[in-house]
Each structure stands twice: as structure tokens, then as C-alpha cells.
Amino acid sequence: MEAKQVEIINLLKSHHKMFSEAIPLIASENITSPAVREAIISDLSHRYAEGWPGMRVYAGCKYIDEIELKCMEYVKQFWNADFADVRPISGVMANLVAYTALSQPGDKMMCMPIPQGGHISHNRTAKNVHGLNLEFFEFDENKMNLDVEKSIENLKEFKPRICLFGASVFLFPHPVKEISEVARELGASVIYDAAHVAGLIGSGYFQDPLREGADIMTLSTHKTFPGPQHGLVLSDKKDEELYKKLRLAAFPSLHSNHHLHNVAGLAIAAAEMIEFGKEYHGQIIKNAKALAKALDDQGFEVLCAEMDYTKSHMIIADISNFEEKVGLGADIEKKLERCNIILNRNLIPKDLKNGRNFRNPSGIRIGTSEVTRLGMKEPEMKYIAELIKNAIIDEKNEEKVKAEVKSFRKKFQKVHYCFSSKTKAYEYIEIK
Ligand SMILES: Cc1ncc(COP(=O)(O)O)c(C=O)c1O
């Protein structure tokens, strides 16, 4: 029997080793500090605490309540919000909490379609789980952003109950202010899904949706915000009726257990970002711009060059030029993975017209949150672009590129922008 356990532990160790020797560029991922890792393997992972602190349905919550209250306090401070519910266990669940609080099945919602960057929870979850009828904002492919005038026309015609901003392909701030004003006149509520850009928002670099017209901001706590995998709902409406609806949607409608270990981890990550967020998130954006420029210089078609590529942690490249030589998104993703460069394929707007789907799209999406947390800066971005060029354009031997990646990674083994970093970033911690 023990062999079965050993088998799994060995796979975990291999996974840790692989990441310690790779360049992690997935835009929706990040790495937590050793302190957050300590919190998420604590006894809280065994406990229940249904309800609100001080009004639990379980015993044994004395310290859990204190932790959850502190967590709410810290996240409200970081995002300058009046209300926080730290119980949603993921970004999808945070969106469902917001839909449930603001709408009934059969109501209408406007959002972004998936091929232009919308997330499955804006489309599939909203429709199939909560029963919303969807209409989409108009998208300007050149600006990789919403077309304000056409979206307002759609809005006036469709008259939705909810307007939802935010996306998984998110290079530039959405026109929340302009569109929210009209939405409000039409009686719609506004949700901003900040899953990707939440950290950048909290540190003051992207846009400030809660001041630009959003009633509710939902997020995942593990992308540009480097916390444990969890969700969060925030508001600054000073509206007790709304807050009550949100609380009731989170519990008892949508959660029982709310993963208390991650609440503790989130509190620690929020404390780190209150202290180090300005420096960290500023560097993430500098790195994204530097990597985009370097890839462009190396011969890749990075989208939105005329707008300096991005204002977030993310860049998108159109790799269809390499179709004959290497293949499309999925092939490039696999080739780079063999070289220990981890990023992902992505649909880009032109794919729809060309009849392509998510299995082999002509885009790749690259994020700089994790490499920045490992301490990398602009010179390292240049080198990463060179390694990607070696693999894709020069078709250099994959084993040779992999060896160069491994050697480069040796210098970047600690988590930065946190209070202490004794344990290596991808160290496998044995406690048995
Ligand atoms: C815009 C957006 N919203 C929500 C989510 C879902 O987050 P989670 O995976 O935490 O449920 C994602 C995930 O990537 C996302 O990109």
C-alpha cells in the first residue's frame, strides 16, 4: 500500500523539480511566499466554519474568526474597499456570488465573449448555472479593448440587468467609467472581474474599478495578486442591502466549507502586498513591456506594438507566421514546454474568422507575474525572449535550449517581495 503513496509523492517531487528548472510564464499563475505556504498546510485545512465570524455554525472557531476578520481588514485596506467577503473559494465562485446577489435566472447580462478574452464563468457559468441571457460588448481588435460607442449602442438596445467588465485576455484597462454611466441610467448593476489584474489594481497601476462605477469587484487571489488559490468579492458602495445579498449568496447559497487555510494564506499575502505591492506590481508591468519589446525585436508579432504592447502583466503574440515551420498555438506551447519554457496557447480575435478554435489557436499568451516574483527584471526578459527565439525561429536543438533554461534558472530560486524567504521557491517540503 505504501508504494501507492510513494508513487504520488515522487510525482509531486518531480513536479517541484520541473518548476525549479523552468521559466514559468502562464499569465494566470503565480507563486506564494513561504509564509503563505506555511498557512495553507496548517490545521485550518481540516476545519469548518460556516457563516460569518462570530456567528458560526461550528465550534472551535475562536482563532479562525480572528484570522478571517484580519483577512477582511487587510484586503479592504489593499483594495480600498468598504466590504469584503473572503469566503468564495475561487474566482468562478466569486462571480457566481455576484450574479446570485444581483440577478434572477432569465435576467440579461452584457460581457465579453470567450474568443475576445471573456472567461468561461462569464459565458458558460452565467448561462448554464445561473440562467442568464447574454449579449456581448463590441470589441475593437486593433485596440484589443471594448469599442465604447458600439458597446453603448448594444447596451441601450439590450438593457441588461448586469454589465460585466474584465477578461482573461486583458492588456488594457476597460472603459468602465464611460460605459457604467450609461448602464446606471438604464438601471443595470456593474461587476468588474479583476481575476487577472487584481494585484495591479490594488497597487494602483491599472484602473480603479470601484471608483470608476463598478458596484462589485470579484477576483481570484492567485494571479497578479500572489496569494493562495481562492476567490474574493469586494465593494465600496456603502450599501448594506447589497452587502447582505452578497453575504447570503456566498453562504448558505453557494458554499458550505470556505477553505479556511486559504483564508489565512490570503491574509498573509495581503499583508505582503500592502508592504511590497507597489514595487512588485510596478516591476511586473515593466517586465511585460520589456519582454514584449524584446520578442518583437527578435521577430515575433506581438500584438498592440503601437500602444507599447500592454498595460498589464500580460502580452499576446500572433504566431501564425510559424505555422509551416513549427505549427500553431498548441504545437508552439508543446515545443516550448520541451525546452522548459511554460506558457499557453490562446485564441486571438482573428481565429474566429479563420475557423480556428481553442485547441490550436494562432496566439500565445505570456505573463510576467511569476518570473517577477522570482526576482527577474528587464535584462532577464531580454534573455527569455532570446531563448524563445532559439526554440521557435532558430529551431535550435530542444535539449540545448532546455539546458540553457536550467542553467539560467539556478540564480532565481527564491521568492521576492515578501517578509522572509528561507525556503526555496519550489522546494518540496517533507513533513511526514
Ligand atoms: C477573468 C477570469 N475570471 C475568473 C477566472 C476564474 O478564476 P478561478 O480559476 O479562481 O475560478 C479566471 C481564471 O483564469 C479569469 O481569467
Side-chain angles (χ1 to χ4, degrees):
M1 288 303 272
E2 203 188 343
K4 287 191 164 58
Q5 175 180 301
V6 171
E7 212 174 10
I8 299 297
I9 288 177
N10 284 342
L11 287 169
L12 284 170
K13 286 182 177 166
S14 302
H15 173 88
H16 278 247
K17 183 168 185 294
M18 177 176 88
F19 265 79
S20 73
E21 296 174 340
I23 299 174
L25 294 168
I26 302 254
S28 53
E29 294 180 352
N30 208 329
I31 186 166
T32 53
S33 68
V36 171
R37 285 178 78 193
E38 223 173 276
I40 64 185
I41 57 162
S42 69
D43 179 64
L44 268 62
S45 68
H46 309 125
R47 304 295 152 209
Y48 267 86
E50 290 176 346
W52 200 254
M55 295 184 284
R56 302 294 197 187
V57 193
Y58 276 80
C61 295
K62 182 174 164 186
Y63 299 108
I64 289 169
D65 279 7
E66 275 192 55
I67 290 168
E68 193 162 316
L69 287 169
K70 289 268 175 227
C71 184
M72 287 191 251
E73 184 190 320
Y74 299 168
V75 298
K76 284 196 282 186
Q77 183 183 338
F78 184 61
W79 280 285
N80 191 13
D82 176 48
F83 170 85
D85 195 328
V86 300
R87 295 173 299 176
I89 57 169
S90 68
V92 169
M93 292 305 290
N95 281 339
L96 256 180
V97 166
Y99 305 153
T100 307
L102 293 178
S103 65
Q104 298 293 327
D107 282 348
K108 300 176 191 171
M109 180 167 90
M110 277 197 87
C111 56
M112 299 264 291
I114 292 173
Q116 289 162 347
H119 185 251
I120 43 168
S121 61
H122 308 165
N123 292 221
R124 300 293 170 94
T125 313
K127 191 162 159 240
N128 300 344
V129 181
H130 193 56
L132 293 176
N133 293 317
L134 304 178
E135 183 61 58
F136 300 112
F137 290 122
E138 282 293 324
F139 193 71
D140 181 334
E141 291 177 15
N142 296 321
K143 294 186 177 156
M144 286 298 280
N145 206 337
L146 307 190
D147 180 310
V148 178
E149 277 178 25
K150 289 186 187 157
S151 293
I152 288 178
E153 273 172 37
N154 289 4
L155 185 65
K156 285 184 175 162
E157 201 183 317
F158 188 61
K159 295 192 177 57
R161 173 73 202 88
I162 298 174
C163 263
L164 175 88
F165 296 97
S168 305
V169 171
F170 210 172
L171 304 178
F172 302 102
H174 281 173
V176 176
K177 195 162 184 294
E178 298 89 322
I179 297 180
S180 293
E181 274 168 19
V182 183
R184 203 161 302 291
E185 283 163 20
L186 296 170
S189 298
V190 177
I191 303 174
Y192 184 101
D193 180 343
H196 265 274
V197 290
L200 311 179
I201 288 173
S203 293
Y205 290 109
F206 198 64
Q207 63 186 143
D208 193 359
L210 294 178
R211 258 55 60 188
E212 290 170 25
D215 299 292
I216 298 173
M217 188 162 101
T218 59
L219 55 127
S220 306
T221 55
H222 46 267
K223 300 183 196 289
T224 49
F225 183 83
Q229 292 190 328
H230 201 71
L232 182 56
V233 171
L234 298 164
S235 178
D236 200 40
K237 285 291 283 182
K238 325 260 181 314
D239 177 348
E240 285 306 323
E241 269 306 300
L242 172 67
Y243 299 169
K244 189 173 166 200
K245 285 187 195 159
L246 289 167
R247 278 197 292 264
L248 287 172
F251 175 83
S253 295
L254 289 163
H255 299 85
S256 165
N257 191 319
H258 60 279
H259 301 184
L260 303 161
H261 50 301
N262 288 335
V263 172
L266 173 56
I268 291 174
E272 288 167 354
M273 288 304 106
I274 289 167
E275 180 82 15
F276 304 105
K278 268 253 170 273
E279 201 189 338
Y280 173 50
H281 291 115
Q283 190 61 48
I284 287 180
I285 299 170
K286 283 186 208 158
N287 282 354
K289 286 180 184 290
L291 184 54
K293 172 81 172 65
L295 284 168
D296 192 341
D297 291 346
Q298 298 282 9
F300 288 92
E301 195 184 326
V302 185
L303 300 193
C304 301
E306 62 293 349
M307 292 186 284
D308 203 14
Y309 311 100
T310 185
K311 286 193 174 197
S312 74
H313 61 305
M314 187 188 291
I315 60 179
I316 304 283
D318 175 348
I319 40 75
S320 48
N321 288 346
F322 306 109
E323 183 170 10
E324 263 180 40
K325 229 163 114 185
V326 189
L328 285 174
D331 311 290
I332 291 209
E333 178 189 293
K334 287 280 162 246
K335 186 170 182 56
L336 289 172
E337 189 181 24
R338 289 193 294 275
C339 301
N340 275 21
I341 299 172
I342 315 284
L343 50 73
N344 71 291
R345 71 189 92 167
N346 220 98
L347 278 170
I348 54 177
K350 77 174 195 189
D351 282 329
L352 267 197
K353 285 176 230 145
N354 298 339
R356 296 200 200 291
N357 65 27
F358 67 94
R359 291 196 193 283
N360 207 2
S362 41
I364 50 171
R365 186 181 71 164
I366 304 179
T368 54
S369 306
E370 191 162 345
V371 287
T372 306
R373 203 148 203 228
L374 292 171
M376 297 185 197
K377 297 202 165 151
E378 289 90 333
E380 285 77 37
M381 297 305 112
K382 256 185 140 170
Y383 185 57
I384 291 173
E386 219 175 291
L387 291 166
I388 294 176
K389 173 183 174 267
N390 289 163
I392 307 293
I393 298 180
D394 307 338
E395 292 187 83
K396 194 167 164 178
N397 177 287
E398 289 172 4
E399 281 307 314
K400 279 198 178 139
V401 182
K402 186 175 176 171
E404 282 161 17
V405 169
K406 279 185 176 181
S407 151
F408 164 67
R409 270 305 314 280
K410 282 196 181 122
K411 293 190 292 253
F412 300 97
Q413 288 297 331
K414 292 271 174 160
V415 176
H416 291 243
Y417 310 99
C418 58
F419 296 105
S420 67
S421 201
K422 258 194 330 211
T423 315
K424 283 186 185 163
Y426 305 90
E427 193 167 324
Y428 181 80
I429 303 168
E430 290 206 37
I431 58 170
K432 67 178 182 308

Short mmCIF file of all heavy atoms in Angstrom, two decimals, residues 24-60:
data_model
loop_
_atom_site.label_atom_id
_atom_site.label_comp_id
_atom_site.label_asym_id
_atom_site.label_seq_id
_atom_site.Cartn_x
_atom_site.Cartn_y
_atom_site.Cartn_z
N PRO A 24 8.49 29.99 -15.77
CA PRO A 24 7.03 29.93 -15.69
C PRO A 24 6.38 31.23 -16.19
O PRO A 24 6.48 32.27 -15.54
CB PRO A 24 6.79 29.74 -14.18
CG PRO A 24 7.97 30.39 -13.52
CD PRO A 24 9.11 30.38 -14.50
N LEU A 25 5.70 31.13 -17.32
CA LEU A 25 5.15 32.34 -17.97
C LEU A 25 3.63 32.25 -18.18
O LEU A 25 3.09 32.94 -19.03
CB LEU A 25 5.83 32.56 -19.32
CG LEU A 25 7.33 32.90 -19.29
CD1 LEU A 25 7.92 32.81 -20.70
CD2 LEU A 25 7.58 34.29 -18.73
N ILE A 26 2.96 31.40 -17.42
CA ILE A 26 1.50 31.31 -17.57
C ILE A 26 0.89 32.54 -16.89
O ILE A 26 1.13 32.79 -15.71
CB ILE A 26 0.96 30.01 -16.93
CG1 ILE A 26 1.63 28.79 -17.56
CG2 ILE A 26 -0.57 29.98 -16.97
CD1 ILE A 26 0.84 27.96 -18.50
N ALA A 27 0.08 33.29 -17.65
CA ALA A 27 -0.40 34.59 -17.14
C ALA A 27 -1.37 34.46 -15.98
O ALA A 27 -1.55 35.41 -15.22
CB ALA A 27 -1.04 35.37 -18.28
N SER A 28 -2.01 33.31 -15.81
CA SER A 28 -2.99 33.17 -14.72
C SER A 28 -2.38 32.55 -13.47
O SER A 28 -3.09 32.27 -12.52
CB SER A 28 -4.16 32.31 -15.19
OG SER A 28 -3.67 31.09 -15.71
N GLU A 29 -1.06 32.35 -13.48
CA GLU A 29 -0.44 31.69 -12.32
C GLU A 29 0.56 32.61 -11.62
O GLU A 29 0.99 33.62 -12.16
CB GLU A 29 0.27 30.41 -12.78
CG GLU A 29 -0.70 29.36 -13.29
CD GLU A 29 -0.03 28.06 -13.75
OE1 GLU A 29 1.20 27.99 -13.82
OE2 GLU A 29 -0.78 27.11 -14.04
N ASN A 30 0.91 32.19 -10.41
CA ASN A 30 1.92 32.92 -9.64
C ASN A 30 2.46 31.96 -8.59
O ASN A 30 2.07 30.79 -8.54
CB ASN A 30 1.31 34.17 -8.99
CG ASN A 30 2.34 35.26 -8.78
OD1 ASN A 30 3.52 35.00 -8.55
ND2 ASN A 30 1.90 36.51 -8.86
N ILE A 31 3.34 32.44 -7.75
CA ILE A 31 3.87 31.59 -6.69
C ILE A 31 3.71 32.31 -5.35
O ILE A 31 3.90 33.53 -5.28
CB ILE A 31 5.33 31.19 -6.97
CG1 ILE A 31 5.81 30.19 -5.92
CG2 ILE A 31 6.26 32.39 -7.04
CD1 ILE A 31 7.09 29.49 -6.27
N THR A 32 3.38 31.54 -4.30
CA THR A 32 3.19 32.17 -2.98
C THR A 32 4.51 32.17 -2.20
O THR A 32 5.42 31.39 -2.49
CB THR A 32 2.14 31.40 -2.16
OG1 THR A 32 2.51 30.02 -2.14
CG2 THR A 32 0.76 31.54 -2.76
N SER A 33 4.55 33.01 -1.18
CA SER A 33 5.73 33.09 -0.32
C SER A 33 5.78 31.87 0.61
O SER A 33 4.75 31.20 0.82
CB SER A 33 5.64 34.35 0.53
OG SER A 33 4.57 34.20 1.45
N PRO A 34 6.94 31.61 1.23
CA PRO A 34 7.00 30.51 2.21
C PRO A 34 5.98 30.70 3.35
O PRO A 34 5.40 29.73 3.82
CB PRO A 34 8.43 30.59 2.73
CG PRO A 34 9.20 31.20 1.60
CD PRO A 34 8.27 32.17 0.94
N ALA A 35 5.73 31.94 3.77
CA ALA A 35 4.78 32.16 4.87
C ALA A 35 3.36 31.75 4.46
O ALA A 35 2.61 31.16 5.25
CB ALA A 35 4.80 33.64 5.29
N VAL A 36 3.00 32.04 3.21
CA VAL A 36 1.67 31.63 2.74
C VAL A 36 1.61 30.11 2.63
O VAL A 36 0.62 29.48 3.02
CB VAL A 36 1.34 32.31 1.38
CG1 VAL A 36 0.07 31.72 0.77
CG2 VAL A 36 1.19 33.82 1.55
N ARG A 37 2.70 29.50 2.17
CA ARG A 37 2.71 28.03 2.09
C ARG A 37 2.56 27.41 3.48
O ARG A 37 1.90 26.38 3.64
CB ARG A 37 4.01 27.54 1.43
CG ARG A 37 4.01 27.78 -0.07
CD ARG A 37 5.31 27.34 -0.70
NE ARG A 37 5.39 25.89 -0.88
CZ ARG A 37 6.52 25.25 -1.18
NH1 ARG A 37 7.66 25.92 -1.32
NH2 ARG A 37 6.54 23.95 -1.33
N GLU A 38 3.17 28.04 4.47
CA GLU A 38 3.03 27.54 5.84
C GLU A 38 1.56 27.57 6.28
O GLU A 38 1.05 26.62 6.87
CB GLU A 38 3.86 28.44 6.77
CG GLU A 38 4.66 27.69 7.79
CD GLU A 38 5.59 28.64 8.55
OE1 GLU A 38 6.69 28.91 8.04
OE2 GLU A 38 5.20 29.11 9.64
N ALA A 39 0.89 28.68 5.96
CA ALA A 39 -0.52 28.83 6.36
C ALA A 39 -1.40 27.78 5.69
O ALA A 39 -2.31 27.23 6.32
CB ALA A 39 -1.02 30.23 6.00
N ILE A 40 -1.12 27.48 4.43
CA ILE A 40 -2.06 26.60 3.73
C ILE A 40 -1.85 25.11 4.03
O ILE A 40 -2.67 24.30 3.64
CB ILE A 40 -2.12 26.89 2.21
CG1 ILE A 40 -0.81 26.62 1.49
CG2 ILE A 40 -2.55 28.32 1.94
CD1 ILE A 40 -0.82 27.00 0.02
N ILE A 41 -0.76 24.80 4.75
CA ILE A 41 -0.68 23.40 5.22
C ILE A 41 -0.97 23.31 6.72
O ILE A 41 -0.73 22.29 7.35
CB ILE A 41 0.66 22.71 4.88
CG1 ILE A 41 1.85 23.48 5.47
CG2 ILE A 41 0.83 22.50 3.39
CD1 ILE A 41 3.13 22.63 5.55
N SER A 42 -1.53 24.41 7.30
CA SER A 42 -1.83 24.40 8.74
C SER A 42 -3.09 23.58 9.03
O SER A 42 -3.78 23.14 8.10
CB SER A 42 -2.04 25.84 9.22
OG SER A 42 -3.25 26.34 8.67
N ASP A 43 -3.43 23.45 10.30
CA ASP A 43 -4.61 22.67 10.71
C ASP A 43 -5.92 23.26 10.16
O ASP A 43 -6.94 22.58 10.10
CB ASP A 43 -4.69 22.61 12.25
CG ASP A 43 -5.91 21.85 12.71
OD1 ASP A 43 -6.00 20.63 12.42
OD2 ASP A 43 -6.83 22.47 13.29
N LEU A 44 -5.87 24.51 9.73
CA LEU A 44 -7.11 25.12 9.22
C LEU A 44 -7.65 24.36 8.00
O LEU A 44 -8.83 24.46 7.69
CB LEU A 44 -6.89 26.60 8.87
CG LEU A 44 -7.23 27.57 10.01
CD1 LEU A 44 -6.34 27.35 11.22
CD2 LEU A 44 -7.13 29.01 9.54
N SER A 45 -6.76 23.62 7.34
CA SER A 45 -7.24 22.86 6.17
C SER A 45 -8.13 21.69 6.59
O SER A 45 -8.69 21.01 5.73
CB SER A 45 -6.05 22.35 5.34
OG SER A 45 -5.35 21.36 6.07
N HIS A 46 -8.24 21.42 7.90
CA HIS A 46 -9.11 20.32 8.36
C HIS A 46 -10.44 20.81 8.90
O HIS A 46 -11.26 20.02 9.33
CB HIS A 46 -8.41 19.54 9.49
CG HIS A 46 -7.03 19.10 9.16
ND1 HIS A 46 -5.93 19.40 9.94
CD2 HIS A 46 -6.56 18.40 8.10
CE1 HIS A 46 -4.84 18.89 9.38
NE2 HIS A 46 -5.19 18.29 8.26
N ARG A 47 -10.65 22.13 8.96
CA ARG A 47 -11.77 22.69 9.74
C ARG A 47 -12.91 23.23 8.90
O ARG A 47 -12.74 23.54 7.73
CB ARG A 47 -11.26 23.83 10.66
CG ARG A 47 -10.13 23.42 11.58
CD ARG A 47 -10.56 22.38 12.61
NE ARG A 47 -9.40 21.58 12.99
CZ ARG A 47 -9.48 20.30 13.39
NH1 ARG A 47 -10.63 19.69 13.49
NH2 ARG A 47 -8.39 19.63 13.68
N TYR A 48 -14.04 23.35 9.59
CA TYR A 48 -15.22 24.02 9.02
C TYR A 48 -15.52 25.26 9.84
O TYR A 48 -15.29 25.29 11.04
CB TYR A 48 -16.45 23.10 9.13
CG TYR A 48 -16.68 22.25 7.91
CD1 TYR A 48 -16.05 21.03 7.76
CD2 TYR A 48 -17.55 22.68 6.92
CE1 TYR A 48 -16.27 20.24 6.64
CE2 TYR A 48 -17.78 21.91 5.79
CZ TYR A 48 -17.14 20.69 5.65
OH TYR A 48 -17.35 19.92 4.55
N ALA A 49 -16.10 26.27 9.19
CA ALA A 49 -16.55 27.46 9.95
C ALA A 49 -17.66 28.13 9.16
O ALA A 49 -17.53 29.26 8.74
CB ALA A 49 -15.39 28.42 10.16
N GLU A 50 -18.75 27.45 8.92
CA GLU A 50 -19.82 28.06 8.12
C GLU A 50 -20.34 29.34 8.78
O GLU A 50 -20.39 29.44 10.00
CB GLU A 50 -20.97 27.07 7.98
CG GLU A 50 -20.62 25.89 7.08
CD GLU A 50 -21.75 24.87 7.02
OE1 GLU A 50 -22.66 24.93 7.87
OE2 GLU A 50 -21.70 24.00 6.14
N GLY A 51 -20.71 30.28 7.94
CA GLY A 51 -21.29 31.52 8.47
C GLY A 51 -20.27 32.64 8.51
O GLY A 51 -19.22 32.59 7.87
N TRP A 52 -20.58 33.67 9.28
CA TRP A 52 -19.76 34.89 9.39
C TRP A 52 -19.00 34.83 10.71
O TRP A 52 -19.52 34.25 11.68
CB TRP A 52 -20.71 36.10 9.37
CG TRP A 52 -20.05 37.40 9.01
CD1 TRP A 52 -19.76 38.42 9.88
CD2 TRP A 52 -19.63 37.84 7.72
NE1 TRP A 52 -19.18 39.47 9.19
CE2 TRP A 52 -19.09 39.14 7.87
CE3 TRP A 52 -19.64 37.27 6.44
CZ2 TRP A 52 -18.57 39.88 6.81
CZ3 TRP A 52 -19.13 37.99 5.38
CH2 TRP A 52 -18.59 39.28 5.57
N PRO A 53 -17.80 35.39 10.82
CA PRO A 53 -17.08 35.36 12.10
C PRO A 53 -17.98 35.87 13.25
O PRO A 53 -18.67 36.88 13.10
CB PRO A 53 -15.91 36.32 11.87
CG PRO A 53 -15.69 36.30 10.39
CD PRO A 53 -17.03 36.08 9.76
N GLY A 54 -17.96 35.11 14.36
CA GLY A 54 -18.80 35.49 15.50
C GLY A 54 -20.19 34.89 15.42
O GLY A 54 -20.94 34.90 16.39
N MET A 55 -20.58 34.38 14.25
CA MET A 55 -21.93 33.79 14.08
C MET A 55 -21.80 32.45 13.37
O MET A 55 -22.51 32.16 12.41
CB MET A 55 -22.81 34.72 13.26
CG MET A 55 -23.09 36.04 13.94
SD MET A 55 -24.22 37.04 12.97
CE MET A 55 -23.18 37.62 11.67
N ARG A 56 -20.84 31.63 13.84
CA ARG A 56 -20.55 30.38 13.12
C ARG A 56 -21.55 29.28 13.47
O ARG A 56 -22.17 29.30 14.53
CB ARG A 56 -19.15 29.87 13.50
CG ARG A 56 -18.04 30.84 13.21
CD ARG A 56 -17.85 31.09 11.73
NE ARG A 56 -16.54 31.71 11.52
CZ ARG A 56 -16.12 32.18 10.36
NH1 ARG A 56 -16.91 32.14 9.30
NH2 ARG A 56 -14.93 32.70 10.23
N VAL A 57 -21.63 28.31 12.58
CA VAL A 57 -22.48 27.15 12.81
C VAL A 57 -21.63 25.99 13.35
O VAL A 57 -22.11 24.90 13.56
CB VAL A 57 -23.18 26.76 11.48
CG1 VAL A 57 -24.31 25.79 11.71
CG2 VAL A 57 -23.70 28.00 10.77
N TYR A 58 -20.32 26.24 13.55
CA TYR A 58 -19.40 25.22 14.06
C TYR A 58 -18.68 25.74 15.31
O TYR A 58 -18.45 26.95 15.43
CB TYR A 58 -18.34 24.89 13.01
CG TYR A 58 -18.80 23.88 12.00
CD1 TYR A 58 -19.62 24.26 10.94
CD2 TYR A 58 -18.44 22.54 12.12
CE1 TYR A 58 -20.06 23.33 10.01
CE2 TYR A 58 -18.87 21.61 11.19
CZ TYR A 58 -19.69 22.00 10.14
OH TYR A 58 -20.11 21.07 9.23
N ALA A 59 -18.27 24.80 16.17
CA ALA A 59 -17.46 25.17 17.34
C ALA A 59 -15.98 25.11 16.96
O ALA A 59 -15.62 24.56 15.91
CB ALA A 59 -17.75 24.20 18.48
N GLY A 60 -15.13 25.67 17.80
CA GLY A 60 -13.68 25.58 17.57
C GLY A 60 -13.15 26.70 16.69
O GLY A 60 -12.05 26.60 16.14
#
